[in-house]
Structures are given as C-alpha cells and as structure tokens.
Amino acid sequence: MDVQSLSSMKSSVTTEDIVETSRRTRRIRNRSHLDTQIGVEKPNKLSEELMTCLIGIFLKLNQVSLAGKGSAVVPKHSLSCVNSKGFLSKSTFNCKAPVFSFDNTSNIDPYGILPDFDVPIRDVGPYKNFIQITRSSLDISQVSECFQAMGNLRVLMHKLCNVDLNSLAYKQKLAFWINIYNACIMHAFLLHGLPSTEEKLLALMNKAAMNVGGIVLNALAIEHFILRHPSDSKHGLTDEKEMLLRHAYGLGYPEPNVTFALCRGSWSSPALNERSCELQLRVYTPDNVVNEMGRAKVEYLEASVGVTSKKKIVVPKLLQWHMRDFADDLESLLEWIYSQLPHSCSLKRLIMACLIGETKSPFARMVEIQPYDSEFRYLLPL
C-alpha cells in the first residue's frame, strides 16, 4: 500500500454534488435567525459524538467477543503472554499470570520493531498502556448486542447530513474532518466487515463514506482533497473536483501532523484518538486540536521508531510516505525525528548514539524502513 495507490482510487463525490451543496449552504445562511437556531447541529460536537458512539460500539463488540472466549477485559497486555502482534502465544495456557495484566511496568512492542528483542528493552511511551482491538478479539457479527448504540449512530449520521460547515474556523475544521475521517472508516468496518487483504482494505477505504452537509464524501477524498497538500499534477493543473472540494471544505493551508491523527484501522496506523488528563476517552476537539495532534505525533514516534543491535534506525513506512511534510531527505528526517522526541525518552539517546557512531556512513544505510502492515487493528488509549 502506498500514497500513489491511495490517491489513484476514485472518490464517490461528483462535481454536481459540490455545486449543489454550495447552493444549499447559501440558502441555509439566508434563513431567518429563528429557523437557523432550530435543528442546526454544532459540527464539532456532532463529530465528537459520532466518534464516541463508534468507539463505544467497537469496545462493546470486543468485550462480547472476549467474554465469549472466557477472557478478562482489562486495559493492558502482558508481554509474557502476548506476542508482538497481540495474538495469544502457544505458551499462553502455561502462563501463571492472567493473559492480561494491570502491571504498569509491562513493555510491549506495538509495531513489531524488535521482534527478537536483540537490544535492551526500552520504554515505548504511553502506547505501552493502550489496549488493542484485533481481528481475533472483535466479533462484528454480534453487532445486535449494540442495538441502542447503533440506533444512536443512525440518528447522529442523519444529523450529519444537514450540518453547515461554512462558519467554521481553521481549528474547528481540522478537528471536525479528523473525526469524520476516522468515523468513516470505523463505520465502513461495521457495514462491510474486516478486510482480509491489502487490496480489500484499499477498496474499503473507497467505500468508507458519509453524507456531510448533503454531499457524500469518502475517506480518500477527505484525506487527500481536504486535509493534505494538493496533489501534484501535470502542467500545474488541479482536478476540478479536487479544486471545488478544497474551496468548499478545505482548511486553507495543510497541517502535516494530521498524519498522526488519521487512523485506517490497520496494524501500522497510529492510535485512534487522544486521551484527557483524567485518562478518559477523548476525540479531537477544536480548542486543543493542535496540542492533541502534537501529543499524538510524539507518542507515535516513541512507539514506532526503534534502533536495532546493528545500529539501524527503524522508521515506519508511514513516515517515509509523508516524509516531504517533515523533511527533504532521509538525513533530515532522522534529524526531525530526533528533535521531536522528549529529552527523557530513551529512544532519543539511542538515536543520538547511532548517529554519532555512524557519521562516516551514508544515512541511507543507517535507516531500515518498517513495511506497512494492513492487518486490522485499533489501538485505544484507555
């Protein structure tokens, strides 16, 4: 899976849809004050409620599945009983401790960077406390157990059809579209099931769509036409559909850190959402979206970048795809990663030792790209 293959897939939105929505939103603005107050939803609150509802459904399906298998549901995985991809190891049934543990010192390798543990175990940051929802732990066939939540989801999606985005400021748009993107994909999993191959994941992302203010947008259109830089095109021309979407919904200027907020529900994706100081479930909010994305970035880097015993710096494919948002080449990308990590982070010291010891070697030889894994998984900071 790469950026090119994602960008080449078709969006479900049409030029006529965009033009008609633009006319409709002008009519909304021209309503009387009383009419505007009645039945008009606040977009950001609605997007937050959508995400909270969907996350609740997935957690419920996860709990139902685990309960059926006789497993306890607690927020952390024990390293001794769970392998690097979260599946039960062959020795699980011989473990004296439960399969899941509350031990705060548990250290996992959420992205399988060091599967052989050939270097001293390091702290992967807050990700060590996140729960995993995987194909083996989720049972979508039990969605009937979430009758009330599914009803609430339908109501929220109906309200989304009539939402007006014209008065949103930059941060409000940013938080709204991040939540809607993530909600699109979660909803698509509920509708179409879990994709079994990379190709099916790409197809699902094209199907992952929601009606936002009268126009149907899929996840690809939201990511590439609204949240990211304009796509490169020959002769400096931009696709008409992309241009209209950017004019109607775009942010005005892109925010590179959305890379760490957008979750495709795949193994290599960043964690789904942020958490509050009280460790309660939280989604992206307009007042704090910049700080929330910054925190998501640091936490993802701590968990997804590593240094091997051979002094290779392991960098996730996701960063290589979007390298131009942060750096000009691999050398400056490593410098950027180093600069983003907190001073207390053990990974920062490992990277510095690696860079100092290999100054005469080409930076390309120092980097190992971690392949993108499209297998289904959600990481949740609970």
Side-chain angles (χ1 to χ4, degrees), residues 7-41:
S7 300
S8 65
M9 298 195 70
K10 295 181 179 179
S11 165
S12 60
V13 65
T14 67
T15 301
E16 291 75 15
D17 290 334
I18 301 169
V19 172
E20 174 55 32
T21 300
S22 179
R23 292 171 181 160
R24 196 176 72 86
T25 52
R26 284 197 295 270
R27 291 196 298 269
I28 291 175
R29 289 197 299 270
N30 291 331
R31 288 176 183 171
S32 68
H33 179 70
L34 179 61
D35 289 339
T36 302
Q37 283 184 323
I38 298 175
V40 174
E41 294 293 327

PDB file of all heavy atoms in Angstrom, residues 7-41:
ATOM      1  N   SER A   7      -4.137   7.529  -3.742  1.00  0.00           N
ATOM      2  CA  SER A   7      -4.570   8.705  -4.475  1.00  0.00           C
ATOM      3  C   SER A   7      -5.233   8.357  -5.796  1.00  0.00           C
ATOM      4  O   SER A   7      -6.049   9.116  -6.307  1.00  0.00           O
ATOM      5  CB  SER A   7      -3.359   9.618  -4.747  1.00  0.00           C
ATOM      6  OG  SER A   7      -2.779  10.014  -3.533  1.00  0.00           O
ATOM      7  N   SER A   8      -4.873   7.203  -6.361  1.00  0.00           N
ATOM      8  CA  SER A   8      -5.413   6.842  -7.668  1.00  0.00           C
ATOM      9  C   SER A   8      -6.832   6.316  -7.602  1.00  0.00           C
ATOM     10  O   SER A   8      -7.515   6.215  -8.611  1.00  0.00           O
ATOM     11  CB  SER A   8      -4.516   5.778  -8.314  1.00  0.00           C
ATOM     12  OG  SER A   8      -4.543   4.575  -7.561  1.00  0.00           O
ATOM     13  N   MET A   9      -7.293   5.961  -6.403  1.00  0.00           N
ATOM     14  CA  MET A   9      -8.635   5.426  -6.270  1.00  0.00           C
ATOM     15  C   MET A   9      -9.660   6.549  -6.361  1.00  0.00           C
ATOM     16  O   MET A   9      -9.409   7.688  -6.000  1.00  0.00           O
ATOM     17  CB  MET A   9      -8.776   4.680  -4.941  1.00  0.00           C
ATOM     18  CG  MET A   9      -7.829   3.495  -4.841  1.00  0.00           C
ATOM     19  SD  MET A   9      -8.292   2.402  -3.511  1.00  0.00           S
ATOM     20  CE  MET A   9      -9.777   1.690  -4.146  1.00  0.00           C
ATOM     21  N   LYS A  10     -10.835   6.230  -6.882  1.00  0.00           N
ATOM     22  CA  LYS A  10     -11.843   7.246  -7.148  1.00  0.00           C
ATOM     23  C   LYS A  10     -12.597   7.639  -5.883  1.00  0.00           C
ATOM     24  O   LYS A  10     -12.882   6.822  -5.033  1.00  0.00           O
ATOM     25  CB  LYS A  10     -12.841   6.742  -8.189  1.00  0.00           C
ATOM     26  CG  LYS A  10     -12.209   6.509  -9.562  1.00  0.00           C
ATOM     27  CD  LYS A  10     -13.264   6.023 -10.546  1.00  0.00           C
ATOM     28  CE  LYS A  10     -12.647   5.808 -11.924  1.00  0.00           C
ATOM     29  NZ  LYS A  10     -13.645   5.325 -12.890  1.00  0.00           N
ATOM     30  N   SER A  11     -12.931   8.913  -5.815  1.00  0.00           N
ATOM     31  CA  SER A  11     -13.797   9.404  -4.748  1.00  0.00           C
ATOM     32  C   SER A  11     -15.244   9.275  -5.186  1.00  0.00           C
ATOM     33  O   SER A  11     -15.554   9.355  -6.370  1.00  0.00           O
ATOM     34  CB  SER A  11     -13.463  10.867  -4.443  1.00  0.00           C
ATOM     35  OG  SER A  11     -14.487  11.454  -3.689  1.00  0.00           O
ATOM     36  N   SER A  12     -16.128   9.091  -4.224  1.00  0.00           N
ATOM     37  CA  SER A  12     -17.547   8.919  -4.545  1.00  0.00           C
ATOM     38  C   SER A  12     -18.251  10.250  -4.806  1.00  0.00           C
ATOM     39  O   SER A  12     -19.394  10.284  -5.223  1.00  0.00           O
ATOM     40  CB  SER A  12     -18.253   8.183  -3.401  1.00  0.00           C
ATOM     41  OG  SER A  12     -18.148   8.920  -2.203  1.00  0.00           O
ATOM     42  N   VAL A  13     -17.578  11.374  -4.548  1.00  0.00           N
ATOM     43  CA  VAL A  13     -18.208  12.674  -4.716  1.00  0.00           C
ATOM     44  C   VAL A  13     -18.120  13.109  -6.184  1.00  0.00           C
ATOM     45  O   VAL A  13     -17.174  12.786  -6.886  1.00  0.00           O
ATOM     46  CB  VAL A  13     -17.535  13.719  -3.802  1.00  0.00           C
ATOM     47  CG1 VAL A  13     -16.096  13.946  -4.208  1.00  0.00           C
ATOM     48  CG2 VAL A  13     -18.290  15.029  -3.815  1.00  0.00           C
ATOM     49  N   THR A  14     -19.124  13.845  -6.642  1.00  0.00           N
ATOM     50  CA  THR A  14     -19.126  14.351  -8.006  1.00  0.00           C
ATOM     51  C   THR A  14     -19.114  15.869  -7.994  1.00  0.00           C
ATOM     52  O   THR A  14     -19.460  16.512  -6.997  1.00  0.00           O
ATOM     53  CB  THR A  14     -20.376  13.877  -8.778  1.00  0.00           C
ATOM     54  OG1 THR A  14     -21.530  14.486  -8.205  1.00  0.00           O
ATOM     55  CG2 THR A  14     -20.505  12.371  -8.723  1.00  0.00           C
ATOM     56  N   THR A  15     -18.742  16.462  -9.126  1.00  0.00           N
ATOM     57  CA  THR A  15     -18.719  17.919  -9.232  1.00  0.00           C
ATOM     58  C   THR A  15     -20.114  18.494  -9.019  1.00  0.00           C
ATOM     59  O   THR A  15     -20.287  19.527  -8.364  1.00  0.00           O
ATOM     60  CB  THR A  15     -18.189  18.334 -10.619  1.00  0.00           C
ATOM     61  OG1 THR A  15     -16.879  17.790 -10.783  1.00  0.00           O
ATOM     62  CG2 THR A  15     -18.132  19.842 -10.749  1.00  0.00           C
ATOM     63  N   GLU A  16     -21.131  17.825  -9.553  1.00  0.00           N
ATOM     64  CA  GLU A  16     -22.507  18.299  -9.391  1.00  0.00           C
ATOM     65  C   GLU A  16     -22.904  18.323  -7.923  1.00  0.00           C
ATOM     66  O   GLU A  16     -23.614  19.223  -7.468  1.00  0.00           O
ATOM     67  CB  GLU A  16     -23.463  17.418 -10.189  1.00  0.00           C
ATOM     68  CG  GLU A  16     -23.335  17.542 -11.703  1.00  0.00           C
ATOM     69  CD  GLU A  16     -22.097  16.846 -12.258  1.00  0.00           C
ATOM     70  OE1 GLU A  16     -21.500  16.044 -11.528  1.00  0.00           O
ATOM     71  OE2 GLU A  16     -21.740  17.119 -13.415  1.00  0.00           O
ATOM     72  N   ASP A  17     -22.440  17.307  -7.155  1.00  0.00           N
ATOM     73  CA  ASP A  17     -22.738  17.274  -5.729  1.00  0.00           C
ATOM     74  C   ASP A  17     -22.195  18.522  -5.041  1.00  0.00           C
ATOM     75  O   ASP A  17     -22.858  19.136  -4.202  1.00  0.00           O
ATOM     76  CB  ASP A  17     -22.091  16.036  -5.080  1.00  0.00           C
ATOM     77  CG  ASP A  17     -22.767  14.748  -5.504  1.00  0.00           C
ATOM     78  OD1 ASP A  17     -23.954  14.796  -5.860  1.00  0.00           O
ATOM     79  OD2 ASP A  17     -22.099  13.706  -5.484  1.00  0.00           O
ATOM     80  N   ILE A  18     -20.952  18.871  -5.386  1.00  0.00           N
ATOM     81  CA  ILE A  18     -20.300  20.001  -4.723  1.00  0.00           C
ATOM     82  C   ILE A  18     -21.015  21.303  -5.050  1.00  0.00           C
ATOM     83  O   ILE A  18     -21.264  22.143  -4.182  1.00  0.00           O
ATOM     84  CB  ILE A  18     -18.824  20.085  -5.142  1.00  0.00           C
ATOM     85  CG1 ILE A  18     -18.096  18.776  -4.773  1.00  0.00           C
ATOM     86  CG2 ILE A  18     -18.131  21.247  -4.462  1.00  0.00           C
ATOM     87  CD1 ILE A  18     -16.718  18.667  -5.380  1.00  0.00           C
ATOM     88  N   VAL A  19     -21.351  21.498  -6.319  1.00  0.00           N
ATOM     89  CA  VAL A  19     -22.039  22.711  -6.735  1.00  0.00           C
ATOM     90  C   VAL A  19     -23.385  22.831  -6.050  1.00  0.00           C
ATOM     91  O   VAL A  19     -23.758  23.885  -5.533  1.00  0.00           O
ATOM     92  CB  VAL A  19     -22.200  22.738  -8.272  1.00  0.00           C
ATOM     93  CG1 VAL A  19     -23.084  23.907  -8.687  1.00  0.00           C
ATOM     94  CG2 VAL A  19     -20.840  22.830  -8.950  1.00  0.00           C
ATOM     95  N   GLU A  20     -24.147  21.727  -6.007  1.00  0.00           N
ATOM     96  CA  GLU A  20     -25.472  21.752  -5.385  1.00  0.00           C
ATOM     97  C   GLU A  20     -25.350  22.023  -3.887  1.00  0.00           C
ATOM     98  O   GLU A  20     -26.139  22.772  -3.314  1.00  0.00           O
ATOM     99  CB  GLU A  20     -26.177  20.416  -5.613  1.00  0.00           C
ATOM    100  CG  GLU A  20     -27.515  20.278  -4.875  1.00  0.00           C
ATOM    101  CD  GLU A  20     -28.494  21.411  -5.191  1.00  0.00           C
ATOM    102  OE1 GLU A  20     -28.459  21.939  -6.338  1.00  0.00           O
ATOM    103  OE2 GLU A  20     -29.278  21.768  -4.307  1.00  0.00           O
ATOM    104  N   THR A  21     -24.336  21.428  -3.232  1.00  0.00           N
ATOM    105  CA  THR A  21     -24.144  21.663  -1.804  1.00  0.00           C
ATOM    106  C   THR A  21     -23.794  23.118  -1.548  1.00  0.00           C
ATOM    107  O   THR A  21     -24.241  23.722  -0.570  1.00  0.00           O
ATOM    108  CB  THR A  21     -23.018  20.761  -1.264  1.00  0.00           C
ATOM    109  OG1 THR A  21     -23.388  19.400  -1.479  1.00  0.00           O
ATOM    110  CG2 THR A  21     -22.826  20.973   0.227  1.00  0.00           C
ATOM    111  N   SER A  22     -22.982  23.704  -2.427  1.00  0.00           N
ATOM    112  CA  SER A  22     -22.642  25.117  -2.272  1.00  0.00           C
ATOM    113  C   SER A  22     -23.885  25.980  -2.347  1.00  0.00           C
ATOM    114  O   SER A  22     -24.049  26.923  -1.569  1.00  0.00           O
ATOM    115  CB  SER A  22     -21.647  25.520  -3.367  1.00  0.00           C
ATOM    116  OG  SER A  22     -21.313  26.879  -3.247  1.00  0.00           O
ATOM    117  N   ARG A  23     -24.792  25.652  -3.280  1.00  0.00           N
ATOM    118  CA  ARG A  23     -26.048  26.405  -3.376  1.00  0.00           C
ATOM    119  C   ARG A  23     -26.893  26.210  -2.116  1.00  0.00           C
ATOM    120  O   ARG A  23     -27.487  27.156  -1.596  1.00  0.00           O
ATOM    121  CB  ARG A  23     -26.835  25.930  -4.590  1.00  0.00           C
ATOM    122  CG  ARG A  23     -26.189  26.290  -5.930  1.00  0.00           C
ATOM    123  CD  ARG A  23     -26.912  25.594  -7.050  1.00  0.00           C
ATOM    124  NE  ARG A  23     -26.315  25.885  -8.345  1.00  0.00           N
ATOM    125  CZ  ARG A  23     -26.483  25.143  -9.423  1.00  0.00           C
ATOM    126  NH1 ARG A  23     -27.246  24.060  -9.365  1.00  0.00           N
ATOM    127  NH2 ARG A  23     -25.904  25.467 -10.568  1.00  0.00           N
ATOM    128  N   ARG A  24     -26.934  24.971  -1.636  1.00  0.00           N
ATOM    129  CA  ARG A  24     -27.766  24.660  -0.472  1.00  0.00           C
ATOM    130  C   ARG A  24     -27.266  25.378   0.770  1.00  0.00           C
ATOM    131  O   ARG A  24     -28.034  25.881   1.573  1.00  0.00           O
ATOM    132  CB  ARG A  24     -27.779  23.149  -0.228  1.00  0.00           C
ATOM    133  CG  ARG A  24     -28.895  22.689   0.705  1.00  0.00           C
ATOM    134  CD  ARG A  24     -28.904  21.175   0.819  1.00  0.00           C
ATOM    135  NE  ARG A  24     -27.782  20.717   1.597  1.00  0.00           N
ATOM    136  CZ  ARG A  24     -27.777  20.622   2.914  1.00  0.00           C
ATOM    137  NH1 ARG A  24     -28.849  20.982   3.604  1.00  0.00           N
ATOM    138  NH2 ARG A  24     -26.729  20.187   3.567  1.00  0.00           N
ATOM    139  N   THR A  25     -25.936  25.446   0.932  1.00  0.00           N
ATOM    140  CA  THR A  25     -25.392  26.110   2.118  1.00  0.00           C
ATOM    141  C   THR A  25     -25.634  27.622   2.065  1.00  0.00           C
ATOM    142  O   THR A  25     -25.808  28.254   3.104  1.00  0.00           O
ATOM    143  CB  THR A  25     -23.882  25.841   2.248  1.00  0.00           C
ATOM    144  OG1 THR A  25     -23.236  26.162   1.018  1.00  0.00           O
ATOM    145  CG2 THR A  25     -23.617  24.390   2.601  1.00  0.00           C
ATOM    146  N   ARG A  26     -25.666  28.184   0.839  1.00  0.00           N
ATOM    147  CA  ARG A  26     -26.014  29.606   0.737  1.00  0.00           C
ATOM    148  C   ARG A  26     -27.451  29.851   1.168  1.00  0.00           C
ATOM    149  O   ARG A  26     -27.761  30.851   1.802  1.00  0.00           O
ATOM    150  CB  ARG A  26     -25.785  30.092  -0.695  1.00  0.00           C
ATOM    151  CG  ARG A  26     -24.324  30.316  -1.055  1.00  0.00           C
ATOM    152  CD  ARG A  26     -24.189  31.177  -2.303  1.00  0.00           C
ATOM    153  NE  ARG A  26     -24.732  30.517  -3.473  1.00  0.00           N
ATOM    154  CZ  ARG A  26     -24.026  29.727  -4.281  1.00  0.00           C
ATOM    155  NH1 ARG A  26     -22.751  29.495  -4.018  1.00  0.00           N
ATOM    156  NH2 ARG A  26     -24.585  29.175  -5.354  1.00  0.00           N
ATOM    157  N   ARG A  27     -28.335  28.893   0.825  1.00  0.00           N
ATOM    158  CA  ARG A  27     -29.735  29.024   1.242  1.00  0.00           C
ATOM    159  C   ARG A  27     -29.852  28.929   2.759  1.00  0.00           C
ATOM    160  O   ARG A  27     -30.650  29.630   3.378  1.00  0.00           O
ATOM    161  CB  ARG A  27     -30.594  27.936   0.567  1.00  0.00           C
ATOM    162  CG  ARG A  27     -30.756  28.132  -0.937  1.00  0.00           C
ATOM    163  CD  ARG A  27     -31.899  27.281  -1.460  1.00  0.00           C
ATOM    164  NE  ARG A  27     -31.678  25.862  -1.272  1.00  0.00           N
ATOM    165  CZ  ARG A  27     -31.088  25.080  -2.178  1.00  0.00           C
ATOM    166  NH1 ARG A  27     -30.625  25.599  -3.313  1.00  0.00           N
ATOM    167  NH2 ARG A  27     -30.942  23.795  -1.963  1.00  0.00           N
ATOM    168  N   ILE A  28     -29.017  28.043   3.364  1.00  0.00           N
ATOM    169  CA  ILE A  28     -29.042  27.898   4.823  1.00  0.00           C
ATOM    170  C   ILE A  28     -28.647  29.210   5.496  1.00  0.00           C
ATOM    171  O   ILE A  28     -29.248  29.655   6.470  1.00  0.00           O
ATOM    172  CB  ILE A  28     -28.095  26.759   5.277  1.00  0.00           C
ATOM    173  CG1 ILE A  28     -28.653  25.402   4.830  1.00  0.00           C
ATOM    174  CG2 ILE A  28     -27.898  26.775   6.787  1.00  0.00           C
ATOM    175  CD1 ILE A  28     -27.729  24.241   5.122  1.00  0.00           C
ATOM    176  N   ARG A  29     -27.606  29.870   4.943  1.00  0.00           N
ATOM    177  CA  ARG A  29     -27.154  31.123   5.539  1.00  0.00           C
ATOM    178  C   ARG A  29     -28.198  32.223   5.421  1.00  0.00           C
ATOM    179  O   ARG A  29     -28.206  33.171   6.216  1.00  0.00           O
ATOM    180  CB  ARG A  29     -25.842  31.564   4.871  1.00  0.00           C
ATOM    181  CG  ARG A  29     -24.646  30.707   5.222  1.00  0.00           C
ATOM    182  CD  ARG A  29     -23.350  31.436   4.885  1.00  0.00           C
ATOM    183  NE  ARG A  29     -23.259  31.744   3.467  1.00  0.00           N
ATOM    184  CZ  ARG A  29     -22.714  30.926   2.574  1.00  0.00           C
ATOM    185  NH1 ARG A  29     -22.245  29.759   2.966  1.00  0.00           N
ATOM    186  NH2 ARG A  29     -22.662  31.270   1.295  1.00  0.00           N
ATOM    187  N   ASN A  30     -29.077  32.111   4.432  1.00  0.00           N
ATOM    188  CA  ASN A  30     -30.084  33.149   4.206  1.00  0.00           C
ATOM    189  C   ASN A  30     -31.375  32.917   4.981  1.00  0.00           C
ATOM    190  O   ASN A  30     -32.319  33.695   4.863  1.00  0.00           O
ATOM    191  CB  ASN A  30     -30.404  33.233   2.703  1.00  0.00           C
ATOM    192  CG  ASN A  30     -29.230  33.777   1.917  1.00  0.00           C
ATOM    193  OD1 ASN A  30     -28.438  34.546   2.442  1.00  0.00           O
ATOM    194  ND2 ASN A  30     -29.108  33.365   0.660  1.00  0.00           N
ATOM    195  N   ARG A  31     -31.430  31.846   5.766  1.00  0.00           N
ATOM    196  CA  ARG A  31     -32.635  31.608   6.567  1.00  0.00           C
ATOM    197  C   ARG A  31     -32.761  32.664   7.654  1.00  0.00           C
ATOM    198  O   ARG A  31     -31.793  33.332   8.021  1.00  0.00           O
ATOM    199  CB  ARG A  31     -32.562  30.228   7.243  1.00  0.00           C
ATOM    200  CG  ARG A  31     -32.729  29.060   6.278  1.00  0.00           C
ATOM    201  CD  ARG A  31     -32.529  27.770   7.061  1.00  0.00           C
ATOM    202  NE  ARG A  31     -32.609  26.598   6.226  1.00  0.00           N
ATOM    203  CZ  ARG A  31     -32.293  25.377   6.635  1.00  0.00           C
ATOM    204  NH1 ARG A  31     -31.899  25.175   7.870  1.00  0.00           N
ATOM    205  NH2 ARG A  31     -32.393  24.358   5.809  1.00  0.00           N
ATOM    206  N   SER A  32     -33.951  32.760   8.207  1.00  0.00           N
ATOM    207  CA  SER A  32     -34.150  33.681   9.337  1.00  0.00           C
ATOM    208  C   SER A  32     -33.390  33.172  10.549  1.00  0.00           C
ATOM    209  O   SER A  32     -33.016  32.008  10.621  1.00  0.00           O
ATOM    210  CB  SER A  32     -35.649  33.758   9.691  1.00  0.00           C
ATOM    211  OG  SER A  32     -36.093  32.524  10.221  1.00  0.00           O
ATOM    212  N   HIS A  33     -33.166  34.064  11.514  1.00  0.00           N
ATOM    213  CA  HIS A  33     -32.417  33.693  12.715  1.00  0.00           C
ATOM    214  C   HIS A  33     -33.096  32.557  13.462  1.00  0.00           C
ATOM    215  O   HIS A  33     -32.448  31.636  13.947  1.00  0.00           O
ATOM    216  CB  HIS A  33     -32.274  34.916  13.623  1.00  0.00           C
ATOM    217  CG  HIS A  33     -31.537  34.638  14.898  1.00  0.00           C
ATOM    218  ND1 HIS A  33     -30.187  34.371  14.941  1.00  0.00           N
ATOM    219  CD2 HIS A  33     -31.983  34.577  16.191  1.00  0.00           C
ATOM    220  CE1 HIS A  33     -29.812  34.161  16.184  1.00  0.00           C
ATOM    221  NE2 HIS A  33     -30.881  34.284  16.960  1.00  0.00           N
ATOM    222  N   LEU A  34     -34.427  32.600  13.551  1.00  0.00           N
ATOM    223  CA  LEU A  34     -35.171  31.568  14.266  1.00  0.00           C
ATOM    224  C   LEU A  34     -35.016  30.224  13.565  1.00  0.00           C
ATOM    225  O   LEU A  34     -34.759  29.210  14.213  1.00  0.00           O
ATOM    226  CB  LEU A  34     -36.655  31.942  14.355  1.00  0.00           C
ATOM    227  CG  LEU A  34     -37.562  30.923  15.069  1.00  0.00           C
ATOM    228  CD1 LEU A  34     -37.103  30.740  16.515  1.00  0.00           C
ATOM    229  CD2 LEU A  34     -39.015  31.379  15.016  1.00  0.00           C
ATOM    230  N   ASP A  35     -35.158  30.204  12.236  1.00  0.00           N
ATOM    231  CA  ASP A  35     -35.035  28.951  11.500  1.00  0.00           C
ATOM    232  C   ASP A  35     -33.640  28.370  11.643  1.00  0.00           C
ATOM    233  O   ASP A  35     -33.458  27.161  11.689  1.00  0.00           O
ATOM    234  CB  ASP A  35     -35.332  29.170  10.012  1.00  0.00           C
ATOM    235  CG  ASP A  35     -36.812  29.432   9.776  1.00  0.00           C
ATOM    236  OD1 ASP A  35     -37.609  29.059  10.645  1.00  0.00           O
ATOM    237  OD2 ASP A  35     -37.152  29.997   8.711  1.00  0.00           O
ATOM    238  N   THR A  36     -32.640  29.233  11.709  1.00  0.00           N
ATOM    239  CA  THR A  36     -31.265  28.757  11.805  1.00  0.00           C
ATOM    240  C   THR A  36     -31.013  28.092  13.155  1.00  0.00           C
ATOM    241  O   THR A  36     -30.242  27.144  13.266  1.00  0.00           O
ATOM    242  CB  THR A  36     -30.271  29.929  11.623  1.00  0.00           C
ATOM    243  OG1 THR A  36     -30.528  30.534  10.366  1.00  0.00           O
ATOM    244  CG2 THR A  36     -28.833  29.454  11.662  1.00  0.00           C
ATOM    245  N   GLN A  37     -31.686  28.606  14.185  1.00  0.00           N
ATOM    246  CA  GLN A  37     -31.483  28.044  15.511  1.00  0.00           C
ATOM    247  C   GLN A  37     -32.127  26.675  15.654  1.00  0.00           C
ATOM    248  O   GLN A  37     -31.681  25.843  16.435  1.00  0.00           O
ATOM    249  CB  GLN A  37     -32.068  28.982  16.576  1.00  0.00           C
ATOM    250  CG  GLN A  37     -31.194  30.207  16.854  1.00  0.00           C
ATOM    251  CD  GLN A  37     -31.764  31.026  17.979  1.00  0.00           C
ATOM    252  OE1 GLN A  37     -32.984  31.165  18.106  1.00  0.00           O
ATOM    253  NE2 GLN A  37     -30.885  31.569  18.806  1.00  0.00           N
ATOM    254  N   ILE A  38     -33.172  26.431  14.895  1.00  0.00           N
ATOM    255  CA  ILE A  38     -33.922  25.186  15.051  1.00  0.00           C
ATOM    256  C   ILE A  38     -33.293  24.092  14.195  1.00  0.00           C
ATOM    257  O   ILE A  38     -33.141  24.233  12.994  1.00  0.00           O
ATOM    258  CB  ILE A  38     -35.387  25.385  14.633  1.00  0.00           C
ATOM    259  CG1 ILE A  38     -36.043  26.425  15.533  1.00  0.00           C
ATOM    260  CG2 ILE A  38     -36.136  24.068  14.677  1.00  0.00           C
ATOM    261  CD1 ILE A  38     -37.447  26.781  15.121  1.00  0.00           C
ATOM    262  N   GLY A  39     -32.933  22.998  14.824  1.00  0.00           N
ATOM    263  CA  GLY A  39     -32.480  21.816  14.091  1.00  0.00           C
ATOM    264  C   GLY A  39     -31.080  21.900  13.523  1.00  0.00           C
ATOM    265  O   GLY A  39     -30.690  21.038  12.749  1.00  0.00           O
ATOM    266  N   VAL A  40     -30.310  22.944  13.854  1.00  0.00           N
ATOM    267  CA  VAL A  40     -28.956  23.066  13.336  1.00  0.00           C
ATOM    268  C   VAL A  40     -27.974  22.529  14.373  1.00  0.00           C
ATOM    269  O   VAL A  40     -27.941  22.982  15.508  1.00  0.00           O
ATOM    270  CB  VAL A  40     -28.620  24.526  12.988  1.00  0.00           C
ATOM    271  CG1 VAL A  40     -27.163  24.657  12.579  1.00  0.00           C
ATOM    272  CG2 VAL A  40     -29.529  25.013  11.873  1.00  0.00           C
ATOM    273  N   GLU A  41     -27.180  21.547  13.977  1.00  0.00           N
ATOM    274  CA  GLU A  41     -26.235  20.922  14.886  1.00  0.00           C
ATOM    275  C   GLU A  41     -24.886  21.644  14.849  1.00  0.00           C
ATOM    276  O   GLU A  41     -24.481  22.180  13.814  1.00  0.00           O
ATOM    277  CB  GLU A  41     -26.027  19.461  14.484  1.00  0.00           C
ATOM    278  CG  GLU A  41     -27.239  18.583  14.654  1.00  0.00           C
ATOM    279  CD  GLU A  41     -27.627  18.385  16.100  1.00  0.00           C
ATOM    280  OE1 GLU A  41     -26.722  18.351  16.969  1.00  0.00           O
ATOM    281  OE2 GLU A  41     -28.825  18.258  16.376  1.00  0.00           O
TER     282      GLU A  41
END
